[in-house]
Amino acid sequence: MSGTDDRVAVETSDRWPDDADEDVGVVVNWFVAEGGHVEEGDAICEFQVEKVSVDVPAPVTGTLAEITIGEDEEFERGDRLAWIRPA
Amino acid sequence: MAQQEKDDASGQQTGRSLTMSRAMVEAIAHEMREDDEVFYMGEDVADYGGIFDSTEGLLDEFGRDRIMDVPISETAYLGAAVGAAQEGMRPIAELMFVDFFGVAMDQIYNQLAKNTYMSGGSVNVPMVLTAAVGGTYNDAAQHSQTLYGTFAHLPGMKVVVPSTAYDAKGLMHNAIRDDDPVVYMFHKRLMGIGWLPAPDGPKTGVPEDDYTIPFGSADIKREGADVTVVTLGLHVHRALEAAADLADDGIDVEVVDLRTLVPLDTDTIRDSVAKTGHLVVVDEDYRSYGVTGEIIASVAEAGLDDLEAVERVALPDVPIPYARPMEDEVVPGTDDIVAAVRAAQGDE
């Protein structure tokens, strides 16, 4: 968790479905492993809330430095899912 | 061969892995960009993206002329797809649940499968019929079958059953480019959707570029010296789990993933049995007149001397129950495969 200054957080508040009553989602799939390269805009993971699946795009191009919410783990709206180190 | 493909392909990228449904969609989208004659029709394939995510996102890129929702009439739209194929288009038509094939049996068995032959080769039917198969999620007797043997039994259709995202993409490219009818059967439990969790195995690295996996090439998903387990679809992953369990007891299991039932790669099966001497065939389809009997017969015909023991694991000949404990009882589990491998060993 050190040296977070240069890392960009992956968050979901702007991806949350507008009509969802629930504020808890579950990460269904990660498509990139820690250490993998990500391109800005590409879907890097998918979460589900109220049976709706939502893709989460990479906010920047770089390396997926750390996954903070793993597959099948629940999280609350706005929680950070991962850190990306920009290229 | 298959391993070589994987090595070449995975070298092109790092870190990306896809669910089976996304890998299938990637192949379909690629072929649709390359060829305007490729289109997709079926129930809930447009706005909904396929109830098992088989067409997720395609409507946005290709529009309603090429991603078509159809009324609930398998007879009408599968017949229309056969006609379009014969006129030179390359339709992909989705039978939402394979269990519904009965209402369009004439379109499938008498037209799709036979028209090339019956026209003396004057028409081809370059069509892909996709269908969701499989149980293990309590959807009862009319929504849980695999019916692999039913489609493989009647001549004229190639039959494809992927077990991983990598295979699903390469087999889909090959299916769409094939000039003959292909039935592409995807197991719901392998698609990687949130409400129907997959085992860990089917999500794999998948190259972004297109590649094909030739039909009739079984893949050895795990090398082993003592017992050959031949299987397909979801049960590849259960067999791999069983093999991991058995390895702790010093039993070295080879897992052969058929990948296609028609054509059937009997050479790979026979070579494996020649090495191990012990054959266990695992299928999620019914036991009688099905895949297990066919595989065992093909080995016995050509290499009876190689066979020291044979076991088969399949669904008993009953409708698939709705109740969870009863469905779990009839659908082969990892424990059943472990027991069959032990039984085959004990026959020595």
Side-chain angles (χ1 to χ4, degrees):
Chain A
M1 295 297 286
S2 62
T4 55
D5 292 345
D6 59 342
R7 302 196 298 181
V8 176
V10 178
E11 288 171 352
T12 58
S13 4
D14 61 336
R15 311 291 303 175
W16 211 266
D18 292 335
D19 52 359
D21 294 327
E22 287 269 346
D23 282 323
V24 175
V26 60
V27 173
V28 177
N29 281 300
W30 276 102
F31 303 120
V32 186
E34 282 184 355
H37 175 77
V38 299
E39 288 282 329
E40 181 179 347
D42 280 0
I44 57 170
C45 73
E46 166 187 29
F47 71 92
Q48 182 170 287
V49 56
E50 293 176 358
K51 291 196 174 181
V52 173
S53 282
V54 183
D55 281 5
V56 180
V60 291
T61 297
T63 303
L64 186 63
E66 184 185 346
I67 291 173
T68 47
I69 310 284
E71 280 181 11
D72 303 327
E73 282 184 43
E74 287 191 349
F75 66 99
E76 294 199 11
R77 180 180 190 149
D79 280 357
R80 185 185 63 240
L81 301 187
W83 289 105
I84 293 174
R85 187 173 299 111
Chain B
M1 182 66 182
Q3 194 55 50
Q4 185 62 39
E5 286 164 23
K6 275 178 212 169
D7 291 345
D8 290 348
S10 58
Q12 295 169 8
Q13 57 170 342
T14 53
R16 187 181 85 133
S17 60
L18 292 185
T19 60
M20 206 169 93
S21 72
R22 284 170 191 254
M24 283 170 56
V25 168
E26 199 167 88
I28 294 163
H30 178 98
E31 295 298 325
M32 290 186 72
R33 283 179 211 120
E34 296 284 309
D35 184 351
D36 289 343
E37 299 298 341
V38 180
F39 69 98
Y40 204 112
M41 58 159 66
E43 293 157 9
D44 285 332
V45 301
D47 295 277
Y48 197 76
I51 62 166
F52 299 108
D53 287 0
S54 54
T55 52
E56 185 69 46
L58 291 175
L59 178 64
D60 290 344
E61 180 173 353
F62 298 104
R64 293 184 190 279
D65 285 348
R66 297 183 69 195
I67 305 294
M68 277 185 272
D69 276 333
V70 299
I72 302 179
S73 176
E74 287 77 8
T75 307
Y77 77 82
L78 293 182
V82 172
Q86 288 177 192
E87 286 298 312
M89 300 188 79
R90 303 188 83 85
I92 307 168
E94 180 169 315
L95 183 57
M96 184 187 266
F97 288 76
V98 76
D99 313 70
F100 305 162
F101 86 104
V103 291
M105 194 162 180
D106 190 59
Q107 283 64 40
I108 297 168
Y109 268 9
N110 277 327
Q111 296 175 25
L112 174 146
K114 292 176 184 162
N115 282 4
T116 303
Y117 177 80
M118 292 194 70
S119 69
S122 61
V123 296
N124 292 331
V125 186
M127 168 179 162
V128 181
L129 173 62
T130 55
V133 303
T136 74
Y137 71 115
N138 314 111
D139 218 358
Q142 297 171 340
H143 296 77
S144 301
Q145 300 170 105
T146 52
L147 301 183
Y148 299 139
T150 304
F151 287 83
H153 176 64
L154 211 99
M157 296 171 281
K158 295 169 181 173
V159 179
V160 175
V161 183
S163 72
T164 68
Y166 179 89
D167 289 354
K169 179 170 172 177
L171 291 165
M172 181 60 85
H173 278 296
N174 213 48
I176 297 170
R177 294 174 192 181
D178 198 304
D179 287 335
D180 291 321
V182 176
V183 180
Y184 186 105
M185 307 175 88
F186 57 86
H187 199 293
K188 302 148 198 164
R189 180 61 83 181
L190 299 178
M191 295 294 268
I193 48 190
W195 56 272
L196 191 56
D200 287 335
K203 195 162 78 176
T204 63
V206 176
E208 291 187 35
D209 292 342
D210 60 311
Y211 59 96
T212 57
I213 294 173
F215 296 159
S217 59
D219 188 34
I220 297 175
K221 288 284 193 282
R222 184 189 199 279
E223 302 249 4
D226 297 334
V227 180
T228 298
V229 174
V230 175
T231 187
L232 71 170
L234 172 68
H235 282 76
V236 169
H237 303 285
R238 296 195 164 176
L240 290 169
E241 254 182 57
D245 287 356
L246 289 156
D248 296 338
D249 295 338
I251 301 173
D252 192 13
V253 175
E254 180 147 300
V255 177
V256 177
D257 177 0
L258 292 172
R259 298 203 290 197
T260 63
L261 284 172
V262 181
L264 182 65
D265 182 2
T266 47
D267 288 347
T268 296
I269 301 164
R270 287 174 192 160
D271 289 349
S272 179
V273 174
K275 179 173 72 171
T276 65
H278 300 78
L279 173 61
V280 175
V281 188
V282 180
D283 183 19
E284 194 178 327
D285 201 358
Y286 304 115
R287 179 184 177 96
S288 296
Y289 308 99
V291 171
T292 54
E294 182 60 33
I295 300 294
I296 291 165
S298 71
V299 172
E301 280 171 343
L304 191 57
D305 293 346
D306 293 330
L307 274 177
E308 293 175 42
V310 168
E311 290 286 330
R312 56 171 159 166
V313 183
L315 238 89
D317 299 326
V318 296
I320 299 176
Y322 169 67
R324 182 160 306 209
M326 290 175 71
E327 186 186 39
D328 288 345
E329 181 61 28
V330 299
V331 176
T334 302
D335 290 352
D336 299 312
I337 301 170
V338 167
V341 169
R342 289 189 192 283
Q345 288 272 291
D347 283 350
E348 269 187 307

